[in-house]
Structures are given as C-alpha cells and as structure tokens.
Amino acid sequence: METNFYSSVRAQEKAEEKDKKYLSSITSKEQIYVNEKGIYCLARWDDWGFFIDICECFIYNIKCHTKIMLPYYYHCDDWITEVLKCVVSPSTHEYFPYDDQYLCNVSLFFHQEPYCLITGPPYYKKWIKVKLYDDNRLIDAVTFCNGDKICTLFQEGKLGIIQMIPEITKTTCLSPVTTFRAPIDATAMHRSIHLVSWQDQLFLVQQKIGSPSIFEVWEVDFETNQFNRVFNLDGFIIFLSGQFSAATSSSLPQENNNVYFTQCNDHRTLYAFHIGEQSLSTTKQFRVNRPPNSVPPLFARSGRAKIQHNTSTSTRGDKLKKHPSGITSKPAPVDSNICIHLSQDLQREISRHLISQEAYMNFRLVCKLWRSIAPPLRWKVVVDDHAAASYDQDSMWLLSLNQKDGLCTFYNPFRNFNCYMSNTDLVGCEIRYAKYGWLLVSKGKSLFLLEPSPSGKQIIHLPQKTDDYFCDIMSFSTSPTSSSAWLIFGIASLNLFQVRISYLRQGDDKWTTITRDSEVPFLLSSSSPVYFGEEFCVIGQHGDVGVFGILKDGTPYWVIHQLSQLYSPPISGACRLFLVQRQDQNVLHSVVVTPQHDVHVYELDFGSNIIVKLVKEVKNWLLFTSEASSIAICGMNVNVDNAVFFPTFNTCNDYTYYSLEDVAFKVLKDNCTDKTQQKELLNRVWISCELTEN
C-alpha cells in the first residue's frame, strides 16, 4: 500500500513538472505592439488582454510584457465576427511564477452557439465547452465576485451562473437561476442591455427605445431573489460602449452618479446620463479611444491617468478606501439664525419636501429669504384647447414628477422659479404624454388619464395594458372633456421591419393590438407621436415618418413616408428627433438635435410631392418640445420668438433655449449666447396652463 502511495505521489509530481514545462513553453517575454495591423483585441481586464493574430490566440500582459499562447481551436480566426462577448476575468487562485501577477481566465460566448468556451490557469491546456440554455438568446455575460463567477443574462430575463473553479474542467457548468428573472421585456427593443459588476455587486443597466429614453439601473440581490431599482451610484461610475461595460471608482463631484456611454457607431462622442436628475449631456470629462483593431474601447480622464477597466479584485479594491487626512477644523460658532449656515440650494431643497400646505406656509413666514425661495402654492387651471387663448410668461411650464412621493415640480423658464404640487395619485407613476392639460400616466400595467384642477382632479381609468412593456411611445388625440371621440395610440418597435401598435377608442373595454410590417427599416426615435389631421405621426431615428390612422369602416392602417434621404444635412443615428405641430397652418415640423448641439428645424409636407424643407426661422412662434410633449405657440407675450425650447440647462443650471436667429443656444435670463455644456432633462413634459395662488 505504501509503495502504491509513493508511486502515486511521484506520478503526480511528474505530471505537475510536465505541466510546468508546458506552461513555460507557451510563455514568453516580448514587446508586442498591440495596435499593430493583424492583431485584434477582443477583451481586456486590468493589464491583461485577449488577442487574435491570424490563426493563433494568446493573452498578453501589457505591463509585464508577458505573452501566453492559448490552445488552438479550429476556425479561431472567425471569432472576431462570431463572438458575441469575450470575458477576461481574474483568476485569484493562481499566481504567475515570474512576476507575482494574477493570471486570468478567458471565456467566449457566441452569437449562434448554445455553449461557451473557457480556458484558464494553471496551464491553459484546452478549451472547455460549457452548455448554455438551448432556447434562449444570450444578451450579456460579466465576471463578478472578484472573478469567482460569471453571470449570464438571456433574452427572457433568465440568469445563469458559471462558477470559475481553480482549474477549468469538464465539470464546469451553467447553474440556472430559477427563483427570479431580470426586469426586461423579451418583445421590446432596447438601445442597450448590460450586466455591470462592481466589486461584489452586480447590476443590470438597460436603455429602452422610446420615451422616456432613460437608463434604468437595477442591483441584483441574490439573498432576497429580486432586482432593486437604483437611483444613486455610491462611489463609482459606469462606462458602456457596444458590448463592453466597465465600472470604476470616482470621488469627483462632476462625475458622481453618472453612466457614460457611446451611441450607435459613433465612438467619438461620449454621453453622460445622470441617474439622480435624469439628465443627458455630452461630456469631455473623459476621452474615448477605440483602436480599429480593438473591441473594447479605452476610456481615460481628459488630461489624467487612464481609468481602471473591468472589475477589481479585493486587493485592488482595498486600495480605493479613503484614509483620514488628519486635518481638523474648529467648530463653527453656534448661531440661532439657521439661514446663515445653510446654502440657498439646501434651503430650497428643504422647502421642496414640505408637502403639506400648512408646513409650506409656515416655512414662508420665517424670513424674507425663505419667502423668495418658496413661491406661493399654485394650482393648475387648464387652458381650454379650443379657446382663443392668449399666452404670457406664466402660461408655459416644464413639469417634473418625483415618482417616490408624487411631488410635481412646475418650472417657469421665463421667471426662473419653481412651484410645487403634491399628488398622491402619481406615486410610482411615469408620465407618458401630456397635452391640453391632461397627463397620460402609467403605473405597472395600469394606465389612466389625469387632469389636476382647482376644484378637484379628474381621473379616467383605462383598461390594463396587455403586458408589462406594451409601448415605446404613446399619445392621445384630444382632450377627453372637449371631444367624445378621443383616441389613445401607442407603438413599439419589434425589429427593424416590424412594429406593434396598440390603440384604445373612447368606450372600448380593452386595447386593440396589431402587428404591422414596415417596407423600409424603421426604428422609433424617443419623441412622442403627434396627432396631425386625423392621423398619428411618428418620427424614426433617421427622419422617416410613420403614419397610423383608422378608416371610416374601422380598418387601421400603417404607412411610412420615406424622408431620410431628403434631409440636408443628412441625419445620423446619434441625433435626437422631435415632431411639433403648428395648429394655425396645420404645419408639421421635425426638430433635429445633433450630438454637437446644433439644431435644425424642417417643415414636412406629405402631399403628392413629399417635401422636407429646412426652415431658417419660425417668426412669432415658439416651439416647445420634449420626449413626451410638443407645443407650438404663436404670439406669446415674452421677449423671445423664433426659438425652440427644450428641457435644457447649462452646467451652471441656467435655463437655455435655442435661437434660430442667432443659430446658438442662449441663456434665457440674460439673453447671451451660452458657450458651456448643455444638458437635457429627460422624463419631463411641457404643459400649457395657468397657475393661481391657493
């Protein structure tokens, strides 16, 4: 027995020695120019990268200049186009013998294959096939828990976990997560869906096509088996580009709570979405470098060292912890006047949360400063949409809804102040469209029309939606109080050539849903439909306009006016497009905003000869537009005309509008050209109304 034992030990030692010789034979120290033509990078983690060079593949440590050849796999030169996602993850179980450096695992996930390939230390001898779900398309995969696990996400929200054991073997498998699913809709189209890991946390980040076009960030809680919506990124920021995702620590105020991303095929423009205020802007805080032979882009702070890509190990994470500076300060002297010690922004924030009328009025009685910070309580009085209304500077308001408490904020850009109204019916709701003083609101599968008024709100409850996602964008034809034949319309893109349309006529007890084919590729923009004539018009991402209507015999129809080739300058997929109707002349305008913040206004004509005409001026008109509202007003009694109003502010939080005359964004309060960065507030609507003191 003892002889057999020692024989077994010696055999194991010989096998290990043979394996070490094999690792030594595939390992070399050399300087590789990773941007050299013919070498293609599929993924990176820290200093490690996975590369393909003609018919061979290898990992390379850019810092230590260590190259390790990986096993040959047939047609590996096709991986450049066939791989959906490549994950390079840290292997904390094995150190590289020469540099005291962590090694890494490589996992390849393919577009059309129900399996992934994984190889890793200690000896990188072979690729192991790991079977995935047969009946579900893979969306994304990411490493988390310091490289110990890979989480996979599939089309119907299914999750799976691959445990990265010390030595990758045939026993490695996908463990299905059956207790809960990700909050994504299998039938909806998304601009992007990503899994993002940060230290031991896992997040789902998704941006749907349509309105509101905001990013949703969800944290995965494996203890309670649920996804929790996140509105604050605590100490880190997220980067997204194509199939690539990364997270890094940040303590800079200007970076706080942001998701940075590129859009479509434009890898030069970097956008920033602020989760807290739900704003969208372009940014020069970081620069993006995407070499032509590299899948993962390289993000770096402008004028600073590059950021850390991908998930950090626990040892690296410990370096990010803040240490006390040792600086102490003398306590501030106590003063009975609290106004001296609080900034005006903080005092204004306090007034914002005083929802009851009594508390709000008591706040205003404290001092003159607080009276100026908290305007008088005002309530909404709808302007009759058929009346010959006169508009002054108190007629147009930008409405924001706080979903947590139902607090509505009315911002007046001409007076530069806010009014507040609390409405418990709007807790947890999302405003999908606003027109004629009515709000079309969704909450889960519930939909209703709401009209706040001084004498008491009116609510029209609508039949429940047929599924969770339902529509990308929605609209309605006219005010329910002024017409007995109102119509609600919603549409969703199913793919490039197919849309799903849902509509509800007054008196219907359920939604009618139809699917229609498009004769040309058509993807929705994030702008709400416009009721033009007796049809709903929807603008696509490249300027084409889809038209939905119902014939007198009740037959619905869907046609597309092909306008994209008529725009000059041409429209790219990264532009934001809006439709605005001018009621008096029955004119339809498209408003195009480029990533460089240039604005172009076009007049559209769908007559016998389709015309797209660039408009240099809209004299005496003001165009108000956002993702879920659009209003054109003539002869408004303000010192501005020939302009387009977006929910836009500059970095100093001054309201800005676009002057067609000056061909530039201008600050409204002092009417000077604004040279700073613009940000657009999403999930806001313009409403035409009067607010009176309570």
Side-chain angles (χ1 to χ4, degrees):
M1 292 291 293
E2 186 174 349
T3 302
N4 291 338
F5 172 76
Y6 283 113
S7 298
S8 175
V9 170
R10 283 194 296 271
Q12 184 177 351
E13 289 175 348
K14 287 182 179 180
E16 289 180 355
E17 187 64 30
K18 183 179 179 181
D19 288 338
K20 289 179 180 178
K21 287 182 179 179
Y22 173 77
L23 179 61
S24 179
S25 68
I26 63 173
T27 303
S28 61
K29 284 279 194 176
E30 56 183 284
Q31 177 74 45
I32 296 178
Y33 298 98
V34 295
N35 292 332
E36 185 178 333
K37 186 177 181 181
I39 300 178
Y40 206 88
C41 178
L42 284 186
R44 290 184 61 191
W45 171 80
D46 200 21
D47 295 318
W48 285 104
F50 172 67
F51 297 87
I52 294 177
D53 185 3
I54 308 177
C55 292
E56 65 178 26
C57 55
F58 58 90
I59 56 174
Y60 180 69
N61 190 296
I62 299 172
K63 180 180 179 181
C64 301
H65 308 303
T66 302
K67 176 183 178 182
I68 301 178
M69 295 297 302
L70 298 182
Y72 173 78
Y73 201 87
Y74 64 93
H75 299 310
C76 68
D77 51 326
D78 294 333
W79 284 352
I80 296 172
T81 57
E82 293 178 355
V83 169
L84 170 68
K85 184 69 178 283
C86 178
V87 178
V88 177
S89 56
S91 173
T92 57
H93 305 283
E94 298 291 339
Y95 286 86
F96 190 69
Y98 307 117
D99 303 301
D100 194 30
Q101 173 75 38
Y102 281 112
L103 292 178
C104 62
N105 299 307
V106 178
S107 306
L108 300 173
F109 298 85
F110 300 89
H111 286 283
Q112 303 295 335
E113 302 294 345
Y115 63 83
C116 68
L117 296 176
I118 302 178
T119 190
Y123 305 117
Y124 298 97
K125 280 190 170 183
K126 55 188 174 182
W127 292 96
I128 299 297
K129 273 189 178 182
V130 178
K131 185 174 176 57
L132 306 176
Y133 295 123
D134 288 325
D135 57 346
N136 254 267
R137 179 176 63 86
L138 181 74
I139 294 178
D140 200 12
V142 71
T143 177
F144 74 114
C145 288
N146 301 323
D148 287 341
K149 299 176 182 178
I150 288 180
C151 183
T152 55
L153 174 66
F154 296 84
Q155 186 176 18
E156 294 183 0
K158 287 185 178 180
L159 297 173
I161 302 295
I162 299 175
Q163 187 74 39
M164 306 297 286
I165 56 181
E167 184 173 357
I168 305 298
T169 67
K170 290 183 179 180
T171 60
T172 303
C173 63
L174 177 76
S175 300
V177 177
T178 59
T179 50
F180 65 111
R181 292 193 177 193
I184 62 176
D185 187 277
T187 61
M189 288 195 71
H190 294 75
R191 295 179 187 272
S192 64
I193 302 178
H194 289 87
L195 290 174
V196 180
S197 62
W198 169 243
Q199 297 177 349
D200 291 335
Q201 298 170 285
L202 184 65
F203 298 89
L204 169 70
V205 183
Q206 61 179 340
Q207 184 189 22
K208 298 173 183 174
I209 288 178
S211 171
S213 62
I214 61 176
F215 279 94
E216 294 179 355
V217 181
W218 301 77
E219 183 178 1
V220 187
D221 190 336
F222 288 102
E223 292 184 0
T224 60
N225 294 332
Q226 62 184 1
F227 282 77
N228 300 315
R229 184 80 178 269
V230 175
F231 293 94
N232 181 41
L233 301 179
D234 187 12
F236 72 101
I237 51 181
I238 293 173
F239 292 86
L240 307 172
S241 181
Q243 288 293 325
F244 172 82
S245 64
T248 186
S249 63
S250 176
S251 58
L252 300 178
Q254 63 270 31
E255 298 175 4
N256 185 39
N257 224 17
N258 276 314
V259 176
Y260 296 92
F261 65 99
T262 61
Q263 196 160 274
C264 302
N265 294 320
D266 181 8
H267 302 296
R268 295 173 298 175
T269 306
L270 187 63
Y271 296 85
F273 174 74
H274 191 281
I275 295 178
E277 67 179 9
Q278 297 185 346
S279 66
L280 179 68
S281 62
T282 57
T283 179
K284 296 181 180 179
Q285 183 70 17
F286 297 88
R287 63 181 186 274
V288 187
N289 176 30
R290 185 163 189 168
N293 62 339
S294 175
V295 170
L298 308 177
F299 296 95
R301 287 189 176 92
S302 299
R304 300 168 65 92
K306 71 174 183 177
I307 68 167
Q308 169 69 37
H309 291 74
N310 298 294
T311 307
S312 301
T313 63
S314 57
T315 54
R316 290 182 177 272
D318 291 339
K319 296 178 182 179
L320 300 176
K321 295 180 179 178
K322 296 179 180 179
H323 298 283
S325 62
I327 300 175
T328 59
S329 59
K330 296 181 180 180
V334 178
D335 194 296
S336 58
N337 188 354
I338 192 174
C339 302
I340 297 176
H341 306 295
L342 299 179
S343 67
Q344 285 196 28
D345 288 340
L346 181 56
Q347 294 175 57
R348 187 175 290 107
E349 187 68 12
I350 292 173
S351 72
R352 180 180 179 276
H353 291 278
L354 300 175
I355 297 177
S356 73
Q357 177 179 346
E358 181 180 1
Y360 194 91
M361 296 305 294
N362 288 337
F363 181 90
R364 296 191 73 246
L365 292 174
V366 171
C367 61
K368 289 183 179 180
L369 174 62
W370 283 15
R371 220 164 14 250
S372 65
I373 287 174
L377 282 177
R378 297 169 179 241
W379 297 91
K380 185 169 183 236
V381 179
V382 178
V383 175
D384 187 348
D385 49 297
H386 293 298
S390 61
Y391 294 93
D392 60 20
Q393 60 185 355
D394 290 332
S395 300
M396 289 302 302
W397 302 82
L398 184 64
L399 171 60
S400 306
L401 170 64
N402 188 320
Q403 297 183 18
K404 293 182 179 179
D405 55 18
L407 183 65
C408 297
T409 302
F410 295 87
Y411 175 74
N412 186 311
F414 302 102
R415 292 185 178 272
N416 192 33
F417 70 86
N418 295 308
C419 294
Y420 306 99
M421 181 177 71
S422 178
N423 193 322
T424 55
D425 293 301
L426 294 175
V427 174
C429 293
E430 193 171 70
I431 299 176
R432 303 303 301 271
Y433 188 65
K435 190 176 184 180
Y436 303 134
W438 285 82
L439 307 178
L440 176 58
V441 180
S442 67
K443 182 178 182 180
K445 288 189 176 182
S446 299
L447 279 164
F448 58 92
L449 289 163
L450 182 142
E451 180 201 32
S453 66
S455 57
K457 56 184 176 291
Q458 297 186 62
I459 298 180
I460 300 176
H461 292 280
L462 305 173
Q464 282 203 336
K465 298 185 292 184
T466 54
D467 53 50
D468 287 330
Y469 189 64
F470 195 56
C471 295
D472 291 321
I473 52 179
M474 301 186 74
S475 178
F476 54 85
S477 58
T478 187
S479 166
T481 56
S482 62
S483 173
S484 59
W486 50 263
L487 175 67
I488 301 176
F489 165 75
I491 185 171
S493 292
L494 299 182
N495 53 58
L496 278 172
F497 293 93
Q498 201 171 54
V499 297
R500 181 180 63 205
I501 294 170
S502 299
Y503 62 92
L504 181 78
R505 291 172 290 196
Q506 186 179 26
D508 290 349
D509 58 1
K510 64 178 182 179
W511 291 85
T512 300
T513 299
I514 58 176
T515 301
R516 287 292 182 267
D517 295 330
S518 303
E519 59 269 25
V520 294
F522 184 81
L523 285 179
L524 303 173
S525 71
S526 56
S527 171
S528 56
V530 168
Y531 191 65
F532 184 64
E534 295 184 352
E535 299 172 320
F536 286 97
C537 295
V538 183
I539 194 164
Q541 292 183 11
H542 295 280
D544 292 335
V545 174
V547 175
F548 170 79
I550 301 177
L551 300 175
K552 291 183 178 180
D553 63 0
T555 304
Y557 61 88
W558 166 255
V559 296
I560 294 178
H561 295 299
Q562 300 179 37
L563 312 178
S564 57
Q565 302 301 319
L566 303 179
Y567 283 87
S568 179
I571 297 175
S572 70
C575 294
R576 295 175 60 76
L577 287 83
F578 306 88
L579 284 180
V580 185
Q581 180 189 12
R582 281 170 49 183
Q583 298 283 356
D584 68 328
Q585 300 174 5
N586 210 27
V587 173
L588 190 64
H589 289 296
S590 65
V591 180
V592 180
V593 185
T594 72
Q596 294 74 37
H597 302 288
D598 296 322
V599 177
H600 306 289
V601 178
Y602 299 86
E603 185 177 319
L604 309 182
D605 187 343
F606 305 142
S608 55
N609 294 320
I610 296 179
I611 298 174
V612 177
K613 177 184 177 183
L614 181 64
V615 176
K616 296 293 185 179
E617 59 181 18
V618 285
K619 279 194 172 180
N620 299 321
W621 284 88
L622 296 179
L623 307 183
F624 295 83
T625 188
S626 70
E627 289 187 321
S629 62
S630 65
I631 304 173
I633 294 180
C634 181
M636 192 170 183
N637 187 23
V638 291
N639 294 325
V640 179
D641 68 352
N642 196 26
V644 184
F645 282 69
F646 303 95
T648 49
F649 294 77
N650 63 16
T651 51
C652 301
N653 284 322
D654 296 321
Y655 181 79
T656 61
Y657 70 97
Y658 190 84
S659 170
L660 291 173
E661 182 179 353
D662 297 314
V663 195
F665 275 94
K666 302 184 73 174
V667 178
L668 187 60
K669 69 177 184 180
D670 52 15
N671 208 27
C672 67
T673 301
D674 181 54
K675 301 294 185 182
T676 61
Q677 193 69 33
Q678 303 293 317
K679 64 178 180 181
E680 177 187 349
L681 301 185
L682 305 181
N683 206 13
R684 269 72 168 178
V685 293
W686 291 103
I687 60 171
S688 173
C689 64
E690 295 176 357
L691 299 181
T692 58
E693 289 191 23
N694 188 43

